[in-house]
Structure formats: C-alpha cells, structure tokens
Amino acid sequence: MNLLQPYILLYKTVFLILVGTLVVFSLRKKYENHPFEKYDSFGSWIIFFILSLFIGFRNETVGTDTSSYVSFFHSSQFLYNGEPTDLFFELFARLIHVVSPHTETFIAMTGVVSLFGIFFLIQKKSEHKCMSWILFCISGSCFVTLFLYLSAIRQACSITFFILAVYIFFEEPFQKKKCIVYSAIFYIIAVLMHGSTLVSFPFLLLIKKGTCFRKHTWVVLLLVTYTLAALNISFANTITSTIFQWIGPNKYGGYGSISFGFITPRGVFNMILLPFMALAMIVLFSAKKNFYKEWYVQCFLYSVLLNNIFFDNLMWSRLILCLAIFLIVALPNALSYKSFKIKMCYYIPILSYYLYKSMTYLATNFYDIGNIIVPYRSWFLDPLFY
C-alpha cells in the first residue's frame, strides 16, 4: 500500500478541501458571514494548484504514453513512435523546446496546459467547484479521467482548446464576428492537436441549432442503446475502423479496431456503462425542468449515448472524453438547488463507488498491461511521499 501513498494523500487533501466547503455550505443559512461561493472558489484554486504539481512534476515513468511523448520531444524531427504526429502538438512541443529542452519543462508545461481547460470550465460553469474537481479526480466511464491525464498528453492538451472553443461557441454572443473567429480558431487548434476531437463536431452543431431531444426521448435512446449493449449487439466498430483508417491509419487506426472485450463485463450489469447511465438519469430527472437543455448537459448525454453504442471498444471512451468531461459540471449543477441532506444522499454513494473504482484500479495496476501510473514518481514531490 505504500506505493499508493501519493494517490491516497492526493485524495485525502482534495476531499478535505471539499468537506471544508460543504461545512461552509451547511452553515451559510445560519451565518451570513460564511459565503459558500467565496470558499468554494478558493478551494478550486488550491485544488488546481495541487493537481498541477501532481501532473506537471511527475517523472517520465508515470503514465502509459509519457515516455513515448518524452522521446518525441527529444527527437530531432519530433517523431512520435517513428511517425509524424498532429501538426499543432508538434508546433507546441517545438515552442517548449525553444524555451527549455529539458524533460521536466515539457511535462510541466503540457500538464498545466491540459489542466487549464478543466479549471476554466469549472470556474465558469460549475456551481459547486470543489465537487467538480472531485469528479474529475475519480470519475470516468472506462478510464479514470485523472489517470488518463497522466498518460494521454496530446489529447489532454487538445481538450483545453476544445473547452475554450465550445464555451465561446455557446456562451458568447455569436453575432459578434470576433466570437465566431475565436471559437473557430480554438476548435481548429484542438483538432490539429488531436484529430479525435472531430468526433464532437456533428453533436455541437445539433446542440447549437437547438435540436434537443425531449427528456423522455433521451431516456428511450439511452435505454435502447444500453439494452443493445447488454445483448452484445454492435455494428459500430466496423464503421469507425473504416473512418479512422481513412483519417489517419498511422495515428488513429487502432481506435477503430482495438477491442478490449476480454476485460469488458457483459450483460445487464455492465459496470463500464451502468454508472454513467445512472448519472445521466440523475441529471435528467433530479434537476430543474429545462436543465437538460443546457449545452454542457447535452454534451454529457451524447457521450453516454455513444458510450453505450461503442460498448465493445474501450478505446472509444477516449474518443468521447471531450464530451464526457462535461459530467464534472453537469452533475453538480443538476443538484445545486437541492437541500444539503438530499445532496448528500446522492453524493455519498456516487463518490463512494468512484473512489472504490479508482483505488481498485490503482491496486491492480501492476497486473494490467500498459498501465504504469503506479508507482508514482516525481522529481519534486517524492520527498513528501516516500
């Protein structure tokens, strides 16, 4: 268990900040000098700082793909596993190399950039910021999002630009030409940094045009796709394999063909799919009447739908991450108007399950092929942990 100490300490610290904000929340009706929003925002800044250290100061041995990206950074031609990578990520790496050619600089700068998008989303849209950070740390469909951010450097950086793009796309007055330009620029950067971001494009257009399913239509779609997954009925991988082979066989061909079905639970109680289904139902039925029409809620609901459709290819969980990430604001905002006691009735089982999932993932890390986030090593933080 000593090898898990860095993660245990991280979770303890973040949960302590969360508990502090919840105490303030529970007291705010009695004591007006305890403004919840002030402490919640302050806690969010602290968590952002801690996670920036945790992700940005790790060694290159932490994360399945980190060593490959470090080799890419030190390659004279900036080749990733012997092949050219996405254009803007290469330009970004070259810029970092000009600033400093050291591995530590590359990991630190990509770590901060990847987390900035999450921080921006939480600060702008979450009504319970510390809870959003908790969900970022322990939740996910197949992968735990925080652990993925320790590995998928290129995609994590891409999501930051994607979040900036969609925020401007939906939140700013779209009549202003500069808003259109800024949104388009950020989205193009996100795509050129990790081409999988294009998966989101048709869904963003549907949301923008006001094509929103009714609440009960969402329920039917989610239940039907979940039932098909339970019956092991899928045709999606054939389609995606063809698409990704066409887009870039060297970069994304594996996304459509790699299947981890041998570790995917089948049947009705598919724990890769069921928790996200439950969260989708909570967001649909526990929030205010038209809350499900919010753009970030629809992004999350589309991710659940796609998660069900592509159940037999766990790599798809990475492709829909740019949509699934909006869970971290959709769930806290859905429950924001509930009383403190009702909130706890929802959050205690949700957080307990995901904490159990993330710790189980860590404890079995040595037995899973390719997962090397344990043991955690940091050139800066190791004295605190070992």
Side-chain angles (χ1 to χ4, degrees):
M1 287 299 292
N2 187 49
L3 292 175
L4 304 185
Q5 184 61 30
Y7 296 96
I8 294 173
L9 182 58
L10 174 68
Y11 286 155
K12 283 183 177 179
T13 303
V14 175
F15 267 96
L16 183 62
I17 296 171
L18 172 65
V19 170
T21 60
L22 290 175
V23 169
V24 172
F25 176 81
S26 64
L27 294 176
R28 71 175 179 175
K29 291 184 178 180
K30 296 182 180 179
Y31 305 99
E32 293 299 329
N33 61 335
H34 288 83
F36 171 72
E37 292 77 11
K38 174 183 176 181
Y39 287 94
D40 193 38
S41 182
F42 180 66
S44 176
W45 275 94
I46 295 176
I47 296 173
F48 172 61
F49 176 73
I50 293 172
L51 289 177
S52 295
L53 294 180
F54 196 80
I55 294 176
F57 285 177
R58 72 189 189 278
N59 285 354
E60 64 179 277
T61 58
V62 180
T64 309
D65 300 331
T66 306
S67 60
S68 296
Y69 280 112
V70 170
S71 298
F72 148 82
F73 180 68
H74 292 297
S75 168
S76 59
Q77 295 181 311
F78 288 85
L79 298 178
Y80 182 76
N81 290 335
E83 299 287 344
T85 188
D86 292 277
L87 176 62
F88 196 85
F89 188 74
E90 179 184 334
L91 294 176
F92 181 46
R94 288 180 182 273
L95 177 62
I96 296 174
H97 203 278
V98 171
V99 176
S100 172
H102 300 294
T103 297
E104 292 80 7
T105 305
F106 173 69
I107 295 178
M109 292 189 70
T110 53
V112 171
V113 169
S114 64
L115 270 184
F116 175 77
I118 303 300
F119 176 71
F120 179 87
L121 175 65
I122 290 174
Q123 290 295 110
K124 290 292 186 179
K125 297 304 297 180
S126 178
E127 296 183 25
H128 197 325
K129 298 175 177 56
C130 290
M131 185 63 73
S132 292
W133 279 114
I134 288 289
L135 292 171
F136 170 77
C137 287
I138 65 176
S139 69
S141 56
C142 170
F143 305 97
V144 177
T145 307
L146 172 62
F147 301 161
L148 195 59
Y149 266 59
L150 293 171
S151 301
I153 294 176
R154 184 161 45 105
Q155 185 177 13
C157 290
S158 171
I159 288 176
T160 285
F161 292 99
F162 172 76
I163 289 173
L164 295 175
V166 296
Y167 179 83
I168 297 173
F169 189 60
F170 290 111
E171 292 288 329
E172 299 298 330
F174 210 62
Q175 293 77 14
K176 295 182 179 179
K177 290 185 178 180
K178 66 177 183 179
C179 293
I180 300 175
V181 172
Y182 290 153
S183 179
I185 289 174
F186 284 133
Y187 192 81
I188 291 171
I189 291 174
V191 171
L192 291 179
M193 188 167 275
H194 201 278
S196 67
T197 309
L198 271 174
V199 169
S200 66
F201 187 71
F203 305 105
L204 297 180
L205 290 183
L206 286 174
I207 296 170
K208 186 64 177 180
K209 288 185 176 181
T211 308
C212 179
F213 299 126
R214 293 185 178 183
K215 186 179 295 186
H216 290 90
T217 304
W218 271 116
V219 173
V220 171
L221 289 172
L222 293 173
L223 290 178
V224 168
T225 52
Y226 187 86
T227 302
L228 291 175
L231 296 174
N232 200 20
I233 299 174
S234 174
F235 53 86
N237 272 339
T238 303
I239 299 174
T240 54
S241 180
T242 302
I243 292 173
F244 286 117
Q245 287 291 339
W246 177 73
I247 292 175
N250 294 327
K251 299 175 186 177
Y252 304 106
Y255 282 89
S257 58
I258 295 176
S259 178
F260 298 103
F262 62 93
I263 61 169
T264 308
R266 303 296 186 184
V268 176
F269 296 101
N270 186 329
M271 295 310 292
I272 300 296
L273 308 181
L274 190 58
F276 253 42
M277 278 287 291
L279 294 178
M281 295 303 172
I282 291 174
V283 168
L284 283 170
F285 291 104
S286 296
K288 294 180 180 179
K289 184 177 180 180
N290 292 320
F291 176 73
Y292 72 97
K293 295 182 180 180
E294 294 285 345
W295 62 268
Y296 56 88
V297 177
Q298 291 188 66
C299 286
F300 167 62
L301 292 175
Y302 276 121
S303 77
V304 180
L305 189 67
L306 293 172
N307 201 41
N308 291 347
I309 293 172
F310 294 92
F311 71 95
D312 61 342
N313 185 339
L314 302 191
M315 286 297 285
W316 189 261
S317 295
R318 286 189 59 174
L319 294 178
I320 65 169
L321 181 61
C322 59
L323 298 174
I325 198 68
F326 292 103
L327 164 68
I328 67 176
V329 292
L331 183 63
N333 290 3
L335 300 177
S336 62
Y337 77 101
K338 300 287 187 180
S339 68
F340 181 76
K341 291 181 180 179
I342 294 178
K343 277 190 176 74
M344 292 303 99
C345 290
Y346 281 105
Y347 281 133
I348 289 175
I350 292 172
L351 298 183
S352 297
Y353 167 75
Y354 276 116
L355 186 60
Y356 167 78
K357 175 182 177 178
S358 59
M359 295 308 296
T360 301
Y361 181 93
L362 289 170
T364 59
N365 193 252
F366 285 120
Y367 305 100
D368 291 336
I369 298 173
N371 295 324
I372 53 172
I373 59 172
V374 176
Y376 177 87
R377 287 290 183 266
S378 167
W379 60 270
F380 179 76
L381 299 174
D382 270 3
L384 296 176
F385 300 136
Y386 303 110

